[in-house]
Amino acid sequence: MHPMTVDSHVHIWDIGGGKFHVEYDWLTDTSDVLYRTYTLNDLAPQLGEHRVGALVLVQASDSTAETRALLDAAARWPRPIAVVGWLPLHDPARAAFELERLRRPRLVGVRHLIHRDPDPEWLLRPQVSESLAMLAATGLSFDAVAETPELLAQVPWIAAEHPTLTVVLDHLGKPPIASGGWQPWADLLTAAAAAPNVVAKISGLATVSAPGFAAAHWQRYVDHALEVFGPDRLMVGGDWPFTLTAASYDEVWRTTLGTLSELDPADRVRILSTTAARVYRLPVPLPDGPSHDEGVNA
């Protein structure tokens, strides 16, 4: 049996707006699977089979209202949970002001929907860089949803510019699994991993896979991530409920675990639990000792 797993990438949303009146401009009624409200209570019954005992809630709307909604949901969740929210990083003064208003122990990181931003170089703006420096100074990480080669190429730049900032690469930069492609993704991932302050999530792979995928289809991509990052800088995430457009939560975990089956137990623990606990400051009990709650920059 494997140790307790941290699901480092979970979303929730309320299409009715909820009490925080959050809008998801990308979510329309054409998304038949996604166009409904998803709560932590919907996910809870599915966590036990794969021993998912801790969660990281990740923003899906570039709004402080959603960050408040995520923090509110986290405050009512009985198990270890952390939040990667949103701040207006393009406006450093406002970002600092909003951080003071939103700051809670469970707010551990920030993300912006860079893959949906009309500015393809949003991440390279001087104002964003100023805000990223603020995140580093306050101990927050930055999730980079670098889903295109152009965005993935920007990750080493911001990592080098902010060496004390933990940059979390979401979804392994979306490798071209469905087409069986390799470059430029492989070299771009190597370049991102060359920065010691970049970590990556084995997540979001179902939605870039052809129907009927199995662990064998993911293996070479996960193996490359293992080679360039190592288990101390990799974590896993279910990407629920986005993944439901391609696979069930159970299928995602079975496939993910399948790609890790040849690793020794200690390395599996690192990927399934320790890395995420360290990066996102989660008090997760590990098999070989007490809870692990130190920050990555501690």
Side-chain angles (χ1 to χ4, degrees):
M1 180 179 287
H2 62 76
M4 192 185 81
T5 298
V6 177
D7 184 340
S8 70
H9 207 92
V10 171
H11 303 285
I12 55 173
W13 56 71
D14 186 339
I15 62 171
K19 68 178 182 179
F20 294 99
H21 307 292
V22 182
E23 293 185 6
Y24 297 88
D25 54 8
W26 53 266
L27 186 58
T28 70
D29 55 11
T30 59
S31 310
D32 54 343
V33 175
L34 300 181
Y35 192 69
R36 53 153 287 192
T37 293
Y38 285 96
T39 70
L40 286 173
N41 288 336
D42 295 322
L43 181 61
Q46 305 175 67
L47 300 177
E49 183 170 356
H50 300 292
R51 301 195 71 225
V52 176
L55 302 175
V56 180
L57 285 178
V58 180
Q59 64 90 228
S61 173
D62 290 342
S63 73
T64 52
E66 194 210 30
T67 303
R68 285 193 294 274
L70 297 178
L71 289 167
D72 183 62
R76 291 180 277 111
W77 186 247
R79 287 178 277 187
I81 191 167
V83 171
V84 175
W86 181 84
L87 291 173
L89 300 180
H90 58 283
D91 184 340
R94 187 173 149 229
F97 172 75
E98 293 290 357
L99 178 57
E100 283 303 310
R101 295 176 66 212
L102 291 167
R103 194 67 188 265
R104 309 277 192 284
R106 288 185 176 89
L107 182 64
V108 298
V110 172
R111 189 173 85 150
H112 178 80
L113 300 179
I114 58 174
H115 62 311
R116 299 185 185 274
D117 197 287
D119 179 3
E121 296 192 337
W122 181 92
L123 197 51
L124 304 180
R125 292 182 185 180
Q127 299 93 331
V128 172
S129 181
E130 187 177 335
S131 292
L132 292 178
M134 178 191 70
L135 296 186
T138 53
L140 298 179
S141 59
F142 177 74
D143 265 54
V145 54
E147 295 194 353
T148 66
E150 293 76 19
L151 291 173
L152 185 50
Q154 295 171 13
V155 169
W157 287 88
I158 64 164
E161 192 171 13
H162 303 283
T164 61
L165 174 69
T166 300
V167 180
V168 184
L169 175 62
D170 291 345
H171 313 321
L172 291 185
K174 290 286 186 176
I177 297 173
S179 67
W182 191 247
Q183 297 294 3
W185 171 83
D187 285 349
L188 291 170
L189 195 78
T190 299
N197 52 321
V198 177
V199 300
K201 293 180 183 180
I202 303 171
S203 61
L205 302 186
T207 51
V208 290
S209 299
F213 64 83
H217 298 103
W218 294 6
Q219 194 68 59
R220 67 190 293 237
Y221 303 96
V222 172
D223 285 348
H224 181 55
L226 278 163
E227 181 182 351
V228 297
F229 280 103
D232 283 318
R233 291 195 290 144
L234 287 174
M235 62 183 87
V236 290
D239 198 27
W240 182 90
F242 274 109
T243 193
L244 299 179
T245 60
S248 70
Y249 191 70
D250 177 64
E251 287 170 323
V252 167
W253 282 113
R254 289 185 185 280
T255 308
T256 302
L257 292 169
T259 66
L260 307 176
S261 61
E262 297 301 313
L263 295 178
D264 70 56
D267 284 346
R268 272 202 304 278
V269 169
R270 292 180 176 98
I271 297 169
L272 294 175
S273 187
T274 315
T275 302
R278 183 183 75 243
V279 170
Y280 291 126
R281 304 199 301 273
L282 285 160
V284 174
L286 299 176
D288 55 352
S291 68
H292 188 117
D293 58 0
E294 66 190 62
V296 74
N297 292 321

